[in-house]
Amino acid sequence: MAPPSSHAPRVLLLYGSLRERSYSRLLSEEAARLLQAMGAETRTFDPRGLPLPDDAPDTHPKVQELRQLAHWAEAMVWTSPERHGAMTGLMKAQIDWIPLADGAVRPTQGKALAVMQVSGGSQSFNAVNQLRVLGRWMRMLTIPNQSSVAKAFLEFDEAGRMNPSAYYDRVVDVMEELVKFTLLTRDLSPWLVDRYSERKESAEALSKRVNQRAL
């Protein structure tokens, strides 16, 4: 058996709003600071300029940037506003641009995932619940804990830092749990997600099946 990995856990953060004062971005930035304090290496994808899925080729520079980050990461944090009772289109577009397979490699399979949301009103869990469904579809290991920040406009100061509160404490809990799950599973994920049906399938057949041009 190979020795366990000793490098810092690699975490990619995605957020779902382009507003100048985007609370999903501010929450994502707070999460990144916590992860770095816990010893992780973080990268945040800036979704500005990302085309809609199928509205540009996958050679588009922003698509390539996102996919390269997905390959790099060992874990992810997805943070979306709740808009009309759902995650935002921007959040969904980012996830839709990450392929289930890139050749014979699955960029998200077996990687740990934490989900969070911000709301303008009372606390809700619609967006995080939808993100959990997507995490399962992308064959990720979504951690049990999650964060939903209600009335997010009250939870950040003028500098964009999150105020001390029970909401902040929950974000700390979620990031701590994500780091733990990443350390526990990153070396074992190929074994954890290994499937008999896929061992029977050649890399060429897998690529052809999951990268079909149309349904």
Side-chain angles (χ1 to χ4, degrees), residues 9-11 35 38 74-76 110-114 132 140-145 173-189 192:
R10 300 193 297 260
V11 185
L35 288 166
M38 295 172 188
E74 296 171 325
M76 296 189 193
K111 297 181 179 182
L113 171 66
R132 284 187 176 278
M140 304 183 77
L141 304 174
T142 309
I143 67 172
N145 214 340
D173 287 346
V174 173
M175 294 306 109
E176 185 177 61
E177 189 171 287
L178 178 67
V179 170
K180 291 176 180 178
F181 268 72
T182 304
L183 292 172
L184 284 170
T185 62
R186 65 180 179 179
D187 293 319
L188 297 173
S189 60
L192 290 171

Side-chain angles (χ1 to χ4, degrees), residues 115-116 125 128-129 132 143-148 170 174 177:
V115 295
M116 303 195 294
F125 301 94
V128 287
N129 287 340
R132 284 187 176 278
I143 67 172
N145 214 340
Q146 63 187 25
S147 170
S148 173
R170 173 59 68 90
V174 173
E177 189 171 287

Side-chain angles (χ1 to χ4, degrees), residues 39-142:
E41 180 183 359
T42 68
R43 297 183 186 177
T44 298
F45 177 69
D46 182 349
R48 289 176 295 182
L50 183 71
L52 289 173
D54 303 326
D55 195 38
D58 59 13
T59 54
H60 189 283
K62 291 298 291 187
V63 175
Q64 286 297 302
E65 178 189 354
L66 176 58
R67 292 186 174 189
Q68 289 165 11
L69 287 171
H71 278 285
W72 168 85
E74 296 171 325
M76 296 189 193
V77 179
W78 294 350
T79 306
S80 178
E82 180 174 317
R83 184 171 296 164
H84 299 316
M87 77 178 79
T88 60
L90 178 64
M91 191 77 233
K92 183 63 162 57
Q94 292 175 80
I95 299 167
D96 283 347
W97 269 121
I98 301 173
L100 288 173
D102 189 359
V105 177
R106 298 182 187 272
T108 54
Q109 177 169 294
K111 297 181 179 182
L113 171 66
V115 295
M116 303 195 294
Q117 75 168 72
V118 293
S119 302
S122 58
Q123 192 171 43
S124 170
F125 301 94
N126 290 326
V128 287
N129 287 340
Q130 292 175 332
L131 291 171
R132 284 187 176 278
V133 171
L134 284 174
R136 184 170 69 246
W137 187 258
M138 303 301 282
R139 298 175 66 174
M140 304 183 77
L141 304 174
T142 309

